[in-house]
Amino acid sequence: MAIEVVSASTMTSDETTHMARCVGGDRWVVSWLPGRTVTGRQAVTAMTIASAVAATPIPSTVEWAFLDHLALELGLTANEAAFLVAEENHDYRKTARPRRGVLDE
């Protein structure tokens, strides 16, 4: 599991499509935590959780305990974090298609 920081503004992982983006200072938004900003350290934790959930669909008891410990830093339980990682699983790294506007008809 590797988390890569790109130009100090984006975090990605080779295990998951989730990502984190810096929005200024030490404030980050994470793809599976919509509507929240977190610190850089919390963003690394969030990316670690997303990578772990992607790599292990059915975690062992020890892995759940580790995820619970990590999720606590984000104010979540392991179950909540795993649910959000799965629920918010959009590939933001893909190039967006242009939206068709009303005037394009």
Side-chain angles (χ1 to χ4, degrees):
M1 167 176 55
I3 296 173
E4 180 182 3
V5 179
V6 182
S7 303
S9 63
T10 305
M11 290 183 207
T12 61
S13 169
D14 58 353
E15 298 283 342
T16 180
T17 59
H18 286 291
M19 61 189 305
R21 291 190 181 155
C22 183
V23 293
D26 189 34
R27 306 308 300 164
W28 292 76
V29 293
V30 179
S31 59
W32 65 269
L33 292 170
R36 287 184 60 178
T37 56
V38 296
T39 65
R41 177 182 170 150
Q42 289 173 318
V44 170
T45 298
M47 290 301 297
T48 302
I49 291 169
S51 295
V53 169
T56 311
I58 303 173
S60 68
T61 303
V62 172
E63 290 166 329
W64 270 118
F66 176 66
L67 286 174
D68 216 26
H69 173 74
L70 291 174
L72 184 61
E73 185 178 340
L74 301 172
L76 301 169
T77 65
N79 285 333
E80 292 169 328
F83 173 79
L84 288 170
V85 167
E87 185 70 17
E88 294 294 331
N89 197 12
H90 311 290
D91 193 350
Y92 294 102
R93 295 180 293 182
K94 291 181 181 176
T95 305
R97 290 183 180 171
R99 296 177 82 186
R100 228 181 117 166
V102 176
L103 300 175
D104 293 341
E105 296 177 0

